[in-house]
Amino acid sequence: MNLYQTFSTIIDRYYAPNTRIVLAFSGGVDSRVLLDLLAQYKDEKQADCLAVYVHHGLSSNADDWLAKCQTWAIQSGIDFIAEHVQLNSNGESLEACAREARYQALRQHLDANDLLLTGQHSDDQVETFLLALKRGSGPKGLSAMGEATALGAATIVRPLLSVSRAQIERYALQQGLQWVEDESNQDTRFDRNFIRHQISPLLTQRWPHFAQSVNRSAQLCAEQELLIEELLQDKLQAGVAKDGSLDITLLSSVSELSRARLIRMWLAQQNIRMPSREHLGQIWHQVALAKQDANPSLNLADGQVRRFSNRLYTVTKYADITDWQSAVTINQVLSLPDNLGHLLLKSCSAGHLSQHALAQGELKITFNPEGLSAHPAERGHSRKLKKLFQEYGVPSWQRRRMPILMCGDNVAAIADLFIDHQFTGQDCELIWDKCSIVV
């Protein structure tokens, strides 16, 4: 096998001009070989490449590995960055925690359309398949790893997935490459290592082509998954609104199997880690079908699933900002807390607020609606903010995350919702940009 030809053929499928190729570089034989292949590809294509080493602090040898990886990257003419991470298990396995921290660190170096190279090979595919089988996974889990997977707007590419561990080690020896050996890879307390050292050798001894058969089964499962999602894609699009919520009425109109798959597809679309089968049932029975006067929610690893106005919403974890407040000045951008973006009270000739009215008191932003009332310009009377939020259809979990513009003791406006009738005008505007603002 010509390993470079295999590598370059796969990279060519996803590489485009201005694409950066980022290598997840641990220094093990798999990523060490990838570094060597990437250096050849870089010279051939003049590609922008970066090797990233993630230091977990789990081994006393990690500092030494980092130094070696940096040396090898420099020798290969590839830029190198080391990222130090701290692990917080939160009840997860050490393997899962380290994997999540690693990908969070790698994401920092990925822009849209960039490629992230990882060194999984066909033996890893067997391990992933058997672990999924041990968990009782369906076709989705048994699809194991694909050649390419989306990671936000970037793409994970596994160019060695059809190559065996033995072929990779043979290439490394032929090229005279050095690599590091992680002592934890010998610890059979970890499920993956147990399969690697005690199960896979027996299976391969009995059936020499077992790895190829597993890869074929994984590919068939992946194809079936893609077909199912292709057939349901139109229904999903019809049921998902611009705010990302999912229509419960649509879910009620399809079969139980289709409903479960649509919810899974929706959660994946919202970047929520896939829940267990039990949790999937609870989303439907305890949240979607809860009593109409209830405010149901289900906690998942990445947040909550909630219901409002006959739609399902995913709500990520957020801080309590009820007590946060800040003075605001016209034409000065205000940064809001907890990733809520920026706010700008801007003077302009075609606004909806009155600067004269706003000059009658001290201006500030708060998120606490407790005890406050307002008289929206389009309404005939004043109401408590709690009632107004209900009338305007604001979900309960968003009601303390909407910027309230106060003028003295009076509510002047709520960003993106309404302006109080006392503060309407034409020479000022309240702009809430959840991403960024250019003045």
Side-chain angles (χ1 to χ4, degrees), residues 59-320:
S59 171
S60 58
N61 298 313
D63 290 338
D64 181 52
W65 297 340
L66 187 159
K68 288 180 177 178
C69 287
Q70 183 171 16
T71 298
W72 294 330
I74 292 171
Q75 290 172 347
S76 301
I78 291 177
D79 293 339
F80 176 87
I81 288 179
E83 289 285 352
H84 290 72
V85 299
Q86 290 186 331
L87 302 185
N88 183 6
S89 63
N90 289 326
E92 288 186 301
S93 71
L94 186 61
E95 293 170 284
C97 182
R99 182 172 58 252
E100 180 62 27
R102 183 163 59 250
Y103 277 109
Q104 284 184 2
L106 291 166
R107 282 189 187 99
Q108 298 177 40
H109 302 284
L110 294 168
D111 294 324
N113 303 317
D114 284 350
L115 305 182
L116 173 64
L117 305 192
T118 59
Q120 291 95 347
H121 45 69
S122 64
D123 298 66
D124 292 322
Q125 186 79 305
V126 171
E127 295 160 14
T128 301
F129 185 92
L130 292 177
L131 286 171
L133 196 64
K134 186 264 296 185
R135 291 192 297 267
S137 300
K140 183 78 170 178
L142 296 177
S143 299
M145 297 177 289
E147 178 182 283
T149 309
L151 182 66
T155 303
I156 299 175
V157 180
R158 304 177 179 91
L160 302 181
L161 202 56
S162 64
V163 182
S164 70
R165 180 181 287 111
Q167 289 171 314
I168 291 170
E169 291 178 350
R170 192 179 307 122
Y171 176 91
L173 292 172
Q174 289 171 348
Q175 300 299 315
L177 302 179
Q178 295 179 311
W179 62 88
V180 302
E181 293 285 358
D182 187 341
E183 68 277 3
S184 70
N185 288 336
Q186 304 302 316
D187 189 346
T188 54
R189 290 176 300 174
F190 296 117
D191 289 344
R192 187 173 288 274
N193 290 342
F194 174 72
I195 293 173
R196 179 178 304 164
H197 296 296
Q198 298 193 23
I199 303 299
S200 289
L202 291 175
L203 293 172
T204 303
Q205 182 180 354
R206 177 66 182 241
W207 300 295
H209 300 292
F210 184 77
Q212 293 94 313
S213 297
V214 166
N215 275 273
R216 186 166 60 251
S217 292
Q219 182 61 34
L220 290 171
C221 287
E223 290 173 1
Q224 291 298 311
E225 287 295 292
L226 287 172
L227 176 60
I228 291 170
E229 297 202 352
E230 182 180 313
L231 294 173
L232 287 174
Q233 192 61 43
D234 287 346
K235 279 193 178 298
L236 182 67
Q237 289 180 353
V240 176
K242 289 183 179 180
D243 62 3
S245 62
L246 181 60
D247 184 13
I248 292 174
T249 300
L250 179 139
L251 294 175
S252 299
S253 69
V254 299
S255 69
E256 183 177 352
L257 290 174
S258 294
R259 179 166 59 243
R261 175 49 63 95
L262 285 168
I263 293 175
R264 285 181 180 274
M265 292 169 65
W266 170 65
L267 291 173
Q269 194 179 77
Q270 304 298 310
N271 296 316
I272 299 293
R273 274 180 286 180
M274 210 47 58
S276 66
R277 189 173 185 177
E278 180 183 0
H279 275 150
L280 201 66
Q282 290 173 349
I283 289 173
W284 181 246
H285 293 290
Q286 297 182 19
V287 181
L289 299 184
K291 294 180 179 179
Q292 289 303 308
D293 58 352
N295 186 22
S297 67
L298 178 69
N299 292 324
L300 299 177
D302 300 313
Q304 297 177 322
V305 175
R306 305 190 66 154
R307 186 193 69 191
F308 180 77
S309 191
N310 206 41
R311 303 190 71 87
L312 292 176
Y313 290 80
T314 56
V315 181
T316 55
K317 296 175 182 177
Y318 50 75
D320 182 0

